[in-house]
Amino acid sequence: MLTVLLLIRVLCIGNSFSWDAVEQELVPLCYTAGVKVEVHDLYYGGCSLEQHARFLMKDTAAYSHRVCTSCTVDSIGKSSNSKPSVRQCRVVKDTVTLRQALRDGKYDYISLQQASHDSGIRSSFEPWLSMLIDTVRAYQPQAQLCWMQTWAYSQDAKHPAFERYHSSQQEMWDSIQSCTRYVQQIANNKQLSNQSLNPKSPNRQLIVIPCGEAIQRARSTRLGDTLCRDGYHLNYVYGRFTAASVWYEILTGKDVRRNCYKNRKMTHQQARLTRQSAHKAVENAQNYH
């Protein structure tokens, strides 16, 4: 019988790309490895850093707060007469503010991300990123701050913002990589400044969660450019599994290639290629530092 050893609480300040990455496959991946994870996804569709910051300034209750965790059926009161079974459950609390979510207990990891259409546009990051970092660290100083790197669109994507990158997946991906390094620079410079003012503050540099790189690596395998369902959101089978596998390695420190869980609709080849892509992306994440 599987013994769950620890609980990790995660808050994603995100949009539909965090939905793709953490709400479907992350909990079962972690549970299979004996790690219980409680995922809080603060969702607002298409939300950019600027929009998150404006919601923060006005304390707007714009978000859907989605909580995903492993649990028994009885623990959420769904069926008191049936035999308890362990599975992922998802609870949605609507009309929540960012400050409310940050006050909702202590988190181990808190992630920020840019809207996909702005993910490679450097001018779209500041001053909004700094404002959000300062707020997160003020409310949750013990949490590890993360940056979820989004992915480039499919080559045949019809998203109107794809024209910003001349409808080139490679150009979009190169821009995302450049902006990832820019985010690292901003966050870590702020950390050094905080340390100089308060030497007792935790020395935690930003962690990059390289979902974008994992997707790009998977595209170079036999899977090809098939990981998105509509040109930009990940498909429900091996696309989402790839992004969740990156999160799994970051949160647990475990090699996803040794995790036996897979989406039941995946082939063994899809599972092998996506796990390998995620693992290599995490290994290579130090290059963003």
Side-chain angles (χ1 to χ4, degrees):
M1 183 177 179
L2 181 65
T3 301
V4 176
L5 301 178
L6 58 103
L7 170 66
I8 300 173
R9 295 186 85 236
V10 179
L11 174 66
C12 299
I13 301 172
N15 50 42
S16 60
F17 276 42
S18 59
W19 179 17
D20 274 351
V22 302
E23 288 196 35
Q24 179 178 305
E25 304 291 358
L26 181 56
V27 167
L29 270 168
C30 289
Y31 191 85
T32 300
V35 179
K36 185 176 181 181
V37 62
E38 185 178 285
V39 177
H40 296 249
D41 186 21
L42 202 60
Y43 170 85
Y44 185 87
C47 204
S48 65
L49 292 173
E50 178 178 356
Q51 186 66 75
H52 283 303
R54 293 193 182 280
F55 285 153
L56 174 67
M57 289 186 287
K58 295 181 180 180
D59 206 26
T60 305
Y63 297 97
S64 172
H65 186 167
R66 292 124 173 247
V67 183
C68 302
T69 188
S70 53
C71 60
T72 62
V73 173
D74 284 351
S75 71
I76 56 173
K78 291 295 185 183
S79 179
S80 58
N81 297 322
S82 60
K83 183 179 179 180
S85 61
V86 176
R87 62 177 177 83
Q88 171 171 305
C89 64
R90 182 171 175 270
V91 179
V92 178
K93 297 179 283 186
D94 288 323
T95 62
V96 174
T97 71
L98 176 52
R99 285 191 174 88
Q100 284 175 322
L102 289 171
R103 289 194 297 260
D104 186 21
K106 289 187 176 181
Y107 299 101
D108 300 294
Y109 295 84
I110 298 179
S111 69
L112 297 168
Q113 67 193 72
Q114 181 58 293
S116 65
H117 49 272
D118 286 337
S119 60
I121 308 298
R122 181 174 292 210
S123 61
S124 70
F125 284 74
E126 288 285 66
W128 322 111
L129 176 61
S130 288
M131 185 184 304
L132 292 166
I133 289 174
D134 289 343
T135 301
V136 167
R137 285 182 167 155
Y139 278 92
Q140 299 276 336
Q142 81 294 331
Q144 173 62 63
L145 186 64
C146 304
W147 178 256
M148 196 187 94
Q149 180 191 64
T150 55
W151 44 91
Y153 296 162
S154 298
Q155 295 176 15
D156 60 354
K158 305 303 181 184
H159 196 295
F162 202 22
E163 294 179 3
R164 296 181 182 181
Y165 310 95
H166 303 100
S167 299
S168 166
Q169 182 185 96
Q170 188 62 52
E171 181 177 333
M172 187 175 187
W173 172 230
D174 290 343
S175 299
I176 290 172
Q177 289 180 294
S178 176
C179 286
T180 301
R181 296 186 181 94
Y182 179 55
V183 168
Q184 282 273 74
Q185 180 184 356
I186 292 169
N188 292 336
N189 284 346
K190 289 178 72 64
Q191 176 65 28
L192 290 174
S193 177
N194 290 340
Q195 290 264 232
S196 65
L197 294 173
N198 182 10
K200 294 183 179 180
S201 64
N203 184 16
R204 293 191 180 95
Q205 292 193 326
L206 184 79
I207 291 179
V208 172
I209 302 176
C211 296
E213 179 166 345
I215 297 301
Q216 202 64 19
R217 285 179 176 272
R219 286 167 169 160
S220 69
T221 70
R222 292 182 181 180
L223 297 173
D225 195 16
T226 64
L227 281 86
C228 291
R229 63 183 187 267
D230 56 7
Y232 37 101
H233 293 114
L234 299 178
N235 73 48
Y236 296 114
V237 183
Y238 51 89
R240 286 186 165 187
F241 185 87
T242 305
S245 294
V246 173
W247 270 93
Y248 167 82
E249 289 211 356
I250 294 292
L251 296 181
T252 69
K254 299 176 183 289
D255 189 334
V256 73
R257 296 174 300 176
R258 298 190 175 97
N259 191 304
C260 63
Y261 170 78
K262 71 178 183 70
N263 184 296
R264 61 184 178 83
K265 295 182 180 180
M266 292 172 68
T267 67
H268 290 294
Q269 182 185 64
Q270 288 168 348
R272 178 176 59 82
L273 294 175
T274 53
R275 289 179 185 133
Q276 287 178 348
S277 298
H279 179 73
K280 289 179 180 178
V282 173
E283 276 191 329
N284 193 54
Q286 62 183 352
N287 291 338
Y288 295 106
H289 291 230

